Amino acid sequence: MKFSTLAAGLLSAAGLAFAQGEAATGSVSKGPFPFDLNGSNFTYPYPVNVFTFTSQQQKLQMAFMDVKPTCAPNGQTAVLLHGKNFCGATWNSTIVALAGAGYRVIAPDQVGWCKSSKPESYQFSLNQLAWNTRGLLNTLGIGNITLIGHSVGGMLSTRFALQYPNTIDRLVLVDPVGLEDYVEKGVPYVSIDTDIAAEAAQTFAALKGYEQSIYYAGQWDDSYTIWVTMLTNVYFGSKRAQFIKNQGQIVDMVLTSPVVQYFKDVVSKTLLIIGDQDKVAIGANWSPPEVAANLGHISVIGPQVCDTIPDCTLYQFPTLGHAPQISAPSNFTRVVLDWLEQ
């Protein structure tokens, strides 16, 4: 009888934890921190805080910005999740607009990126990164959120919305990676060692060329240069070896963790924003020509994905590429805020 009672209690506790969604636990510090925090000495537009927690039997740091509303608070929190070649700082214009509309804004750097830890041994998964992020929010005492994710951050936001559906008020996906299943479409698998070697070969010129072609539809404005500088700062920073390893692991994670079949299960009210000139397709550069030609048609697959999400609004920028929040910040934030205010 005692065993049965104890077992029932444990099952009840486990059920409650499952219902709420388990997440990381840790503590938040406001510093001071080293100038070269986890291999990045790039100056962020707002003070950087650190969430320290244990994951996969190691202590990790997750850097983030916590920006207060700059007008009358509306009681809501917006969380911004960056893409692979981005950091929390690249959301600066969006942060300004959201804080100016009364939102508290949280913009983290995910583990493996920018000012966060570069773990020596880590199994990267979308679920793990969502677990880390939800733990940060719990530690800050933040419940429900408006979640805005771009590129790989959009893919992560989709997984977050599936993993913690009761904590998402509204979901904004900005040119998310994962609108198609790359492997299903024929992208051949390459080893993580190959991915790491490709990351090690990155240079300022190579990153700029890729971003100009893919992110900005062949255009370039001098204002974009700061974000290439920010990224190069980490590639050639004090944690270079570990950073390029983590980035190689992340490419593998994206390729092998499709989300497109799960969009139908997203219950959050969703805004999908795409630049019709976006051509991002993971693995296209190492795929056979006939496979690569069938990838990255975002203007076509974006509307198709939105049709599968139960409550989805689609907004398309006809002339923009992969990063509308950078290439047309005023237009982008107007679209987001108009939708959020509906």
Side-chain angles (χ1 to χ4, degrees), residues 228-289:
V228 184
T229 300
M230 173 196 69
L231 189 58
T232 308
N233 169 269
V234 191
Y235 268 104
F236 293 93
S238 61
K239 301 293 184 180
R240 170 177 166 78
Q242 198 51 48
F243 175 68
I244 61 177
K245 177 182 178 180
N246 289 165
Q247 293 299 297
Q249 293 172 293
I250 288 160
V251 171
D252 185 82
M253 173 193 75
V254 172
L255 187 66
T256 59
S257 305
V259 297
V260 65
Q261 65 269 46
Y262 299 115
F263 281 113
K264 61 181 175 55
D265 301 317
V266 173
V267 298
S268 308
K269 185 179 179 65
T270 303
L271 171 64
L272 174 60
I273 299 176
I274 60 172
D276 284 348
Q277 304 307 310
D278 185 2
K279 307 298 180 188
V280 168
I282 306 304
N285 57 322
W286 70 71
S287 294

Side-chain angles (χ1 to χ4, degrees), residues 61-62 132 153 220 228 284 320:
Q61 292 183 324
M62 189 174 181
N132 299 349
W220 190 259
V228 184
L320 300 183

